[in-house]
Amino acid sequence: MRLNPLLASAAALALAASGLSQAQASGQTPGQPAQTGAPVEVEIDQGVLRPFQIAIVPFTGERGRDISDVVSGNLRRSGFFEPMNPAGFIETGLTLANAPNFPQWTQIGAQAVLYGGVTTRADNRLDVGFRLYDPYRQCQLVSYQFTATPEQYRRIAHKISDMIYQRMTGEPGFFDTRVIFVSEEGDALNRKNRLTIVDQDGYQPVFLTQGDEVIMSPRFSASQPDEVTYVALGKDYSRIYLYNLTTGRRESLGEFDGQVLAPRFSNDGNKVAFSIIRGGNTDIYVMDLRSRQLSRLTSDPGIDTSPSFSPDGSMIVFNSDRSGSPRLYVMRADGSGQRPISRGGGSYTAPSWSPRGDLIAFTKQSGGRFSTGVMDANGGNERILSSSYFEEGPSWAPNGRYVMFARQTRGGDTRLWTVDLSGRVVAQAGYNGRGTDPAWSPLLDAPADNIGIGQGPDSCPS
């Protein structure tokens, strides 16, 4: 990862022996964000990132403190930042018209200072401005102003978080996104699952189905963030649906001779690849959504499933047990050139191609444990990011630097978790209810009333 010189010089990525904490709720009801409430210890593997000390001054004006609180929670969860306790701030009352008193911030060890303010227009819309400074170099890193309705304050906070993350790390942010997954309620004998969507920080969950079908494998379209696909199982059917999140329209891809599994869009949104169980065999097919033409890509006696397109659409990774145990294979998008790429022991399933194209995430079962790992697109440099009693179903954040997956305890409780590519920060995701099959959305577009954006000068060299 290419880092801002300030971040690198501050040793923000240095290893430390101490643990990294994040906010998580205790005793929250399902659907409430996990990051509210008392701090909780975050699982650490192989050391820990020393987070970047950022002073976030509470924003002024309507919804101002709410916005700065959301930004603080986002940055903390990334693992790169540790928002400082405002009780230790020497300078207070910062306004957008003034630069910080830099020595007062370096004195308390702040490596960046963020502050902002909200003004309310006559039409009740909010102008939200912020500034981010480097107190050591005494220069402005970035400033922006957004205009939106009061109801969109969380979206504004996520966009601010994305801008800070990108300015400080050199990588795109991932906060203004949503997660679609299968939420679970009830016990093993009377379990209800529903297609559910939630903001990446766990807020604003919405149930999209009623619980009268078994829902599996929801996935976003990378080119159309409002389009998702998933499998619904009824008493006498299995169907792949396309669902538009804006209109609520649900459309079946048709009736197939056999059970359908694991649909996933191509990155341009024009195709869906999936598996069909037919005559005791499971093979991969692809449907062109424009013509509805169906093509069969595999035809061996093994179980071929979980196809995932490369970002450029030229290749597909999938898992197959044709060699005796599940391994990862790649093939061209037309089904030719099938070859194995996983090389280690154990069983490999649920591959997912990174949106950057450089890595493939997977689930691996070995030695009585399940792991979430990544490997190069050619199968090299395999490394495990997280291991536990049971975990599965990795899904990439749109910047290709974080992976979300489902983790189950021995008691059968399944939650959504995230891990960064270093494998050193593993934490429960924002949603605190039970869930499986997570899929991360692309970055969202501006809200319907069009957020107005004005950029200020950036006086710090990159």
Side-chain angles (χ1 to χ4, degrees):
M1 179 183 293
R2 182 179 66 84
L3 292 175
N4 175 289
L6 172 62
L7 192 59
S9 65
L13 300 181
L15 293 179
S18 60
L20 176 64
S21 66
Q22 294 186 346
Q24 173 180 339
S26 58
Q28 295 289 319
T29 57
Q32 293 301 308
Q35 76 275 10
T36 57
V40 68
E41 182 176 323
V42 171
E43 179 181 339
I44 301 299
D45 293 331
Q46 308 171 23
V48 64
L49 302 174
R50 178 177 294 145
F52 188 78
Q53 301 296 302
I54 182 170
I56 301 178
V57 182
F59 286 20
T60 61
E62 181 184 354
R63 290 291 192 182
R65 182 175 289 271
D66 293 332
I67 291 171
S68 52
D69 285 348
V70 173
V71 173
S72 179
N74 282 339
L75 297 181
R76 179 179 287 112
R77 282 193 310 278
S78 76
F80 284 106
F81 300 87
E82 181 60 38
M84 303 175 71
N85 187 345
F89 296 170
I90 300 172
E91 183 178 27
T92 59
L94 275 170
T95 67
L96 290 172
N98 302 310
N101 185 326
F102 298 117
Q104 292 192 6
W105 295 101
T106 57
Q107 180 179 336
I108 64 172
Q111 295 167 296
V113 182
L114 172 70
Y115 59 99
V118 182
T119 57
T120 304
R121 293 186 175 190
D123 62 3
N124 204 39
R125 289 192 301 163
L126 305 180
D127 289 332
V128 183
F130 77 94
R131 297 182 186 275
L132 180 69
Y133 276 90
D134 175 352
Y136 288 90
R137 292 189 290 172
Q138 301 190 6
C139 56
Q140 181 173 276
L141 291 162
V142 65
S143 69
Y144 251 71
Q145 179 173 298
F146 299 88
T147 300
T149 65
E151 295 76 22
Q152 294 169 330
Y153 81 93
R154 299 193 67 87
R155 288 287 313 277
I156 297 299
H158 295 324
K159 288 185 175 294
I160 292 172
S161 304
D162 283 331
M163 295 177 68
I164 294 169
Y165 183 93
Q166 182 161 5
R167 183 62 178 88
M168 303 306 292
T169 70
E171 297 288 343
F174 61 96
F175 302 109
D176 190 26
T177 58
R178 294 181 289 182
V179 176
I180 196 165
F181 63 101
V182 180
S183 62
E184 295 184 345
E185 297 177 10
D187 56 29
L189 297 179
N190 187 26
R191 180 164 296 174
K192 175 187 289 188
N193 68 17
R194 292 184 285 186
L195 185 67
T196 306
I197 192 166
V198 68
D199 292 351
Q200 59 77 28
D201 59 353
Y203 280 81
Q204 305 181 123
V206 176
F207 298 118
L208 303 175
T209 58
Q210 301 303 311
D212 52 354
E213 297 173 308
V214 176
I215 305 299
M216 301 169 57
S217 306
R219 294 293 183 268
F220 279 98
S221 167
S223 62
Q224 303 175 67
D226 281 349
E227 291 286 338
V228 299
T229 184
Y230 65 94
V231 170
L233 303 180
K235 291 182 179 180
D236 56 358
Y237 65 86
S238 68
R239 295 179 184 141
I240 295 174
Y241 285 106
L242 302 181
Y243 188 99
N244 186 283
L245 297 171
T246 299
T247 65
R249 182 175 184 268
R250 187 170 87 156
E251 176 188 3
S252 171
L253 289 189
E255 299 296 329
F256 301 95
D257 180 19
Q259 182 174 328
V260 290
L261 298 170
R264 187 165 294 179
F265 287 101
S266 59
N267 270 35
D268 61 10
N270 292 328
K271 298 177 181 179
V272 172
F274 54 94
S275 294
I276 301 178
I277 303 175
R278 181 181 294 163
N281 198 38
T282 304
D283 284 302
I284 294 173
Y285 295 74
V286 64
M287 175 178 281
D288 188 309
L289 296 178
R290 297 160 296 185
S291 65
R292 296 304 170 102
Q293 180 178 351
L294 185 67
S295 302
R296 183 175 180 175
L297 301 186
T298 66
S299 57
D300 67 274
I303 298 174
D304 299 333
T305 189
S306 301
S308 175
F309 286 92
S310 62
D312 64 4
S314 66
M315 302 291 290
I316 294 175
V317 63
F318 63 102
N319 65 263
S320 173
D321 67 353
R322 63 184 65 177
S323 65
S325 62
R327 300 176 65 186
L328 300 190
Y329 289 73
V330 294
M331 60 182 168
R332 298 184 187 92
D334 63 1
S336 63
Q338 298 177 23
R339 60 184 177 85
I341 59 170
S342 57
R343 300 162 187 165
S347 298
Y348 295 81
T349 57
S352 179
W353 215 306
S354 165
R356 298 170 62 98
D358 55 342
L359 297 172
I360 293 170
F362 57 86
T363 298
K364 182 176 182 178
Q365 181 183 7
S366 179
R369 290 174 67 81
F370 286 77
S371 302
T372 299
V374 294
M375 63 176 66
D376 292 346
N378 64 5
N381 297 316
E382 177 184 324
R383 63 184 189 276
I384 298 301
L385 304 181
S386 168
S387 293
S388 64
Y389 166 73
F390 181 83
E391 55 191 58
E392 65 176 352
S395 174
W396 290 94
N399 67 355
R401 294 301 179 186
Y402 297 82
V403 175
M404 185 176 291
F405 57 95
R407 174 182 283 187
Q408 185 182 97
T409 65
R410 290 183 183 274
D413 189 44
T414 305
R415 308 281 171 149
L416 306 184
W417 285 69
T418 59
V419 60
D420 73 327
L421 277 186
S422 75
R424 298 187 175 100
V425 181
V426 187
Q428 188 178 322
Y431 181 78
N432 199 37
R434 289 155 49 195
T436 63
D437 274 345
W440 221 318
S441 80
L443 284 172
L444 302 179
D445 296 328
D449 70 345
N450 294 321
I451 290 180
I453 301 175
Q455 183 176 14
D458 182 348
S459 61
C460 285
S462 298

Short mmCIF file of all heavy atoms in Angstrom, two decimals, residues 214-244:
data_model
loop_
_atom_site.label_atom_id
_atom_site.label_comp_id
_atom_site.label_asym_id
_atom_site.label_seq_id
_atom_site.Cartn_x
_atom_site.Cartn_y
_atom_site.Cartn_z
N VAL A 214 -35.94 -19.64 1.87
CA VAL A 214 -34.54 -19.75 2.29
C VAL A 214 -33.70 -18.93 1.32
O VAL A 214 -33.75 -19.17 0.10
CB VAL A 214 -34.06 -21.21 2.32
CG1 VAL A 214 -32.57 -21.28 2.65
CG2 VAL A 214 -34.87 -22.01 3.34
N ILE A 215 -32.96 -17.96 1.83
CA ILE A 215 -32.18 -17.05 0.99
C ILE A 215 -30.71 -17.46 1.04
O ILE A 215 -30.17 -17.78 2.09
CB ILE A 215 -32.34 -15.60 1.46
CG1 ILE A 215 -33.82 -15.21 1.52
CG2 ILE A 215 -31.57 -14.65 0.56
CD1 ILE A 215 -34.53 -15.30 0.19
N MET A 216 -30.06 -17.42 -0.12
CA MET A 216 -28.66 -17.80 -0.22
C MET A 216 -27.93 -16.88 -1.19
O MET A 216 -28.51 -16.37 -2.15
CB MET A 216 -28.51 -19.25 -0.72
CG MET A 216 -29.17 -20.30 0.14
SD MET A 216 -29.24 -21.92 -0.66
CE MET A 216 -27.50 -22.20 -1.00
N SER A 217 -26.67 -16.65 -0.93
CA SER A 217 -25.70 -16.07 -1.87
C SER A 217 -26.10 -14.73 -2.48
O SER A 217 -26.06 -14.56 -3.70
CB SER A 217 -25.41 -17.07 -3.01
OG SER A 217 -25.02 -18.31 -2.52
N PRO A 218 -26.46 -13.73 -1.69
CA PRO A 218 -26.72 -12.42 -2.29
C PRO A 218 -25.42 -11.78 -2.78
O PRO A 218 -24.37 -11.92 -2.14
CB PRO A 218 -27.33 -11.61 -1.14
CG PRO A 218 -26.78 -12.26 0.09
CD PRO A 218 -26.64 -13.71 -0.22
N ARG A 219 -25.49 -11.07 -3.91
CA ARG A 219 -24.32 -10.42 -4.47
C ARG A 219 -24.73 -9.12 -5.16
O ARG A 219 -25.77 -9.06 -5.81
CB ARG A 219 -23.59 -11.32 -5.49
CG ARG A 219 -22.97 -12.57 -4.90
CD ARG A 219 -21.81 -12.24 -3.98
NE ARG A 219 -21.16 -13.44 -3.46
CZ ARG A 219 -21.47 -14.05 -2.33
NH1 ARG A 219 -22.48 -13.59 -1.60
NH2 ARG A 219 -20.83 -15.11 -1.92
N PHE A 220 -23.88 -8.10 -5.05
CA PHE A 220 -24.11 -6.83 -5.73
C PHE A 220 -23.57 -6.87 -7.15
O PHE A 220 -22.61 -7.59 -7.45
CB PHE A 220 -23.38 -5.70 -5.00
CG PHE A 220 -24.09 -5.17 -3.79
CD1 PHE A 220 -23.75 -5.62 -2.52
CD2 PHE A 220 -25.09 -4.22 -3.92
CE1 PHE A 220 -24.39 -5.12 -1.40
CE2 PHE A 220 -25.73 -3.72 -2.80
CZ PHE A 220 -25.39 -4.17 -1.54
N SER A 221 -24.15 -6.04 -7.99
CA SER A 221 -23.54 -5.72 -9.27
C SER A 221 -22.51 -4.62 -9.05
O SER A 221 -22.81 -3.59 -8.43
CB SER A 221 -24.60 -5.24 -10.26
OG SER A 221 -23.99 -4.66 -11.40
N ALA A 222 -21.29 -4.83 -9.55
CA ALA A 222 -20.24 -3.83 -9.37
C ALA A 222 -20.51 -2.56 -10.18
O ALA A 222 -20.07 -1.47 -9.81
CB ALA A 222 -18.88 -4.41 -9.76
N SER A 223 -21.24 -2.69 -11.27
CA SER A 223 -21.48 -1.54 -12.13
C SER A 223 -22.77 -0.81 -11.79
O SER A 223 -22.96 0.36 -12.15
CB SER A 223 -21.53 -1.98 -13.60
OG SER A 223 -22.60 -2.88 -13.81
N GLN A 224 -23.69 -1.49 -11.08
CA GLN A 224 -24.98 -0.90 -10.72
C GLN A 224 -25.26 -1.22 -9.24
O GLN A 224 -25.84 -2.26 -8.93
CB GLN A 224 -26.09 -1.45 -11.60
CG GLN A 224 -25.86 -1.24 -13.09
CD GLN A 224 -26.92 -1.91 -13.93
OE1 GLN A 224 -28.07 -1.53 -13.92
NE2 GLN A 224 -26.52 -2.95 -14.66
N PRO A 225 -24.83 -0.34 -8.33
CA PRO A 225 -24.94 -0.64 -6.90
C PRO A 225 -26.36 -0.89 -6.41
O PRO A 225 -26.54 -1.40 -5.30
CB PRO A 225 -24.34 0.61 -6.23
CG PRO A 225 -23.48 1.23 -7.27
CD PRO A 225 -24.15 0.94 -8.57
N ASP A 226 -27.38 -0.55 -7.21
CA ASP A 226 -28.76 -0.81 -6.82
C ASP A 226 -29.24 -2.19 -7.21
O ASP A 226 -30.36 -2.58 -6.86
CB ASP A 226 -29.70 0.23 -7.43
CG ASP A 226 -29.67 1.55 -6.68
OD1 ASP A 226 -29.10 1.57 -5.58
OD2 ASP A 226 -30.20 2.54 -7.20
N GLU A 227 -28.44 -2.95 -7.97
CA GLU A 227 -28.86 -4.27 -8.45
C GLU A 227 -28.16 -5.37 -7.65
O GLU A 227 -26.94 -5.35 -7.47
CB GLU A 227 -28.51 -4.44 -9.93
CG GLU A 227 -29.33 -3.58 -10.87
CD GLU A 227 -30.75 -4.10 -11.04
OE1 GLU A 227 -30.99 -5.31 -10.78
OE2 GLU A 227 -31.63 -3.30 -11.40
N VAL A 228 -28.96 -6.32 -7.16
CA VAL A 228 -28.40 -7.48 -6.47
C VAL A 228 -29.00 -8.74 -7.07
O VAL A 228 -30.07 -8.71 -7.70
CB VAL A 228 -28.66 -7.45 -4.95
CG1 VAL A 228 -28.02 -6.22 -4.32
CG2 VAL A 228 -30.15 -7.48 -4.65
N THR A 229 -28.32 -9.85 -6.87
CA THR A 229 -28.84 -11.16 -7.26
C THR A 229 -28.73 -12.08 -6.06
O THR A 229 -27.85 -11.91 -5.20
CB THR A 229 -28.08 -11.73 -8.46
OG1 THR A 229 -28.69 -12.96 -8.86
CG2 THR A 229 -26.61 -11.97 -8.16
N TYR A 230 -29.62 -13.06 -5.98
CA TYR A 230 -29.58 -14.02 -4.88
C TYR A 230 -30.39 -15.24 -5.26
O TYR A 230 -31.15 -15.24 -6.24
CB TYR A 230 -30.10 -13.41 -3.58
CG TYR A 230 -31.56 -13.02 -3.59
CD1 TYR A 230 -32.55 -13.91 -3.12
CD2 TYR A 230 -31.97 -11.78 -4.05
CE1 TYR A 230 -33.89 -13.56 -3.14
CE2 TYR A 230 -33.31 -11.42 -4.07
CZ TYR A 230 -34.26 -12.31 -3.60
OH TYR A 230 -35.59 -11.97 -3.62
N VAL A 231 -30.24 -16.31 -4.47
CA VAL A 231 -31.00 -17.54 -4.65
C VAL A 231 -32.09 -17.60 -3.59
O VAL A 231 -31.85 -17.30 -2.41
CB VAL A 231 -30.09 -18.78 -4.55
CG1 VAL A 231 -30.93 -20.05 -4.49
CG2 VAL A 231 -29.13 -18.84 -5.71
N ALA A 232 -33.30 -17.96 -3.98
CA ALA A 232 -34.41 -18.20 -3.05
C ALA A 232 -34.87 -19.64 -3.22
O ALA A 232 -35.14 -20.09 -4.33
CB ALA A 232 -35.55 -17.23 -3.32
N LEU A 233 -34.94 -20.36 -2.10
CA LEU A 233 -35.42 -21.74 -2.11
C LEU A 233 -36.80 -21.79 -1.46
O LEU A 233 -36.98 -21.35 -0.32
CB LEU A 233 -34.46 -22.65 -1.33
CG LEU A 233 -33.00 -22.69 -1.79
CD1 LEU A 233 -32.20 -23.65 -0.91
CD2 LEU A 233 -32.90 -23.09 -3.24
N GLY A 234 -37.77 -22.33 -2.19
CA GLY A 234 -39.10 -22.56 -1.65
C GLY A 234 -39.36 -24.04 -1.46
O GLY A 234 -38.45 -24.87 -1.60
N LYS A 235 -40.58 -24.41 -1.18
CA LYS A 235 -40.90 -25.82 -0.95
C LYS A 235 -40.65 -26.68 -2.18
O LYS A 235 -40.28 -27.85 -2.06
CB LYS A 235 -42.36 -25.96 -0.50
CG LYS A 235 -42.63 -25.38 0.88
CD LYS A 235 -44.08 -25.60 1.29
CE LYS A 235 -44.33 -25.06 2.68
NZ LYS A 235 -45.75 -25.25 3.12
N ASP A 236 -40.88 -26.13 -3.35
CA ASP A 236 -40.74 -26.93 -4.57
C ASP A 236 -39.99 -26.17 -5.68
O ASP A 236 -40.20 -26.45 -6.86
CB ASP A 236 -42.11 -27.38 -5.07
CG ASP A 236 -43.06 -26.21 -5.32
OD1 ASP A 236 -42.65 -25.06 -5.05
OD2 ASP A 236 -44.19 -26.45 -5.76
N TYR A 237 -39.15 -25.22 -5.30
CA TYR A 237 -38.43 -24.47 -6.33
C TYR A 237 -37.13 -23.89 -5.77
O TYR A 237 -36.95 -23.72 -4.57
CB TYR A 237 -39.29 -23.34 -6.88
CG TYR A 237 -39.62 -22.27 -5.87
CD1 TYR A 237 -38.76 -21.19 -5.63
CD2 TYR A 237 -40.81 -22.31 -5.15
CE1 TYR A 237 -39.06 -20.21 -4.71
CE2 TYR A 237 -41.13 -21.33 -4.22
CZ TYR A 237 -40.25 -20.28 -4.01
OH TYR A 237 -40.56 -19.32 -3.08
N SER A 238 -36.22 -23.64 -6.69
CA SER A 238 -35.04 -22.81 -6.40
C SER A 238 -34.92 -21.83 -7.56
O SER A 238 -34.95 -22.24 -8.73
CB SER A 238 -33.78 -23.67 -6.25
OG SER A 238 -33.40 -24.25 -7.49
N ARG A 239 -34.79 -20.56 -7.24
CA ARG A 239 -34.76 -19.53 -8.27
C ARG A 239 -33.66 -18.52 -8.00
O ARG A 239 -33.33 -18.24 -6.84
CB ARG A 239 -36.11 -18.80 -8.34
CG ARG A 239 -37.26 -19.67 -8.78
CD ARG A 239 -38.56 -18.90 -8.79
NE ARG A 239 -39.68 -19.79 -9.12
CZ ARG A 239 -40.88 -19.71 -8.57
NH1 ARG A 239 -41.12 -18.78 -7.66
NH2 ARG A 239 -41.83 -20.56 -8.92
N ILE A 240 -33.13 -17.99 -9.09
CA ILE A 240 -32.21 -16.86 -9.00
C ILE A 240 -33.01 -15.60 -9.33
O ILE A 240 -33.69 -15.53 -10.36
CB ILE A 240 -31.04 -17.01 -9.98
CG1 ILE A 240 -30.18 -18.22 -9.60
CG2 ILE A 240 -30.18 -15.74 -10.00
CD1 ILE A 240 -29.09 -18.53 -10.59
N TYR A 241 -32.90 -14.63 -8.43
CA TYR A 241 -33.62 -13.38 -8.63
C TYR A 241 -32.66 -12.22 -8.86
O TYR A 241 -31.54 -12.20 -8.32
CB TYR A 241 -34.49 -13.06 -7.41
CG TYR A 241 -35.75 -13.89 -7.30
CD1 TYR A 241 -35.85 -14.90 -6.36
CD2 TYR A 241 -36.84 -13.64 -8.14
CE1 TYR A 241 -37.00 -15.67 -6.24
CE2 TYR A 241 -38.00 -14.40 -8.03
CZ TYR A 241 -38.08 -15.41 -7.08
OH TYR A 241 -39.22 -16.16 -6.97
N LEU A 242 -33.12 -11.28 -9.64
CA LEU A 242 -32.52 -9.95 -9.70
C LEU A 242 -33.43 -9.02 -8.90
O LEU A 242 -34.65 -9.04 -9.08
CB LEU A 242 -32.41 -9.46 -11.15
CG LEU A 242 -31.61 -10.32 -12.12
CD1 LEU A 242 -31.61 -9.66 -13.49
CD2 LEU A 242 -30.20 -10.53 -11.62
N TYR A 243 -32.82 -8.21 -8.04
CA TYR A 243 -33.61 -7.33 -7.17
C TYR A 243 -33.06 -5.92 -7.29
O TYR A 243 -31.85 -5.69 -7.11
CB TYR A 243 -33.52 -7.82 -5.73
CG TYR A 243 -34.43 -7.10 -4.75
CD1 TYR A 243 -35.65 -7.67 -4.38
CD2 TYR A 243 -34.07 -5.89 -4.19
CE1 TYR A 243 -36.49 -7.02 -3.49
CE2 TYR A 243 -34.90 -5.23 -3.30
CZ TYR A 243 -36.11 -5.80 -2.95
OH TYR A 243 -36.93 -5.16 -2.06
N ASN A 244 -33.94 -4.96 -7.60
CA ASN A 244 -33.53 -3.56 -7.69
C ASN A 244 -33.83 -2.88 -6.36
O ASN A 244 -34.99 -2.81 -5.93
CB ASN A 244 -34.26 -2.85 -8.82
CG ASN A 244 -33.75 -1.45 -9.04
OD1 ASN A 244 -34.08 -0.53 -8.27
ND2 ASN A 244 -32.95 -1.26 -10.07
#
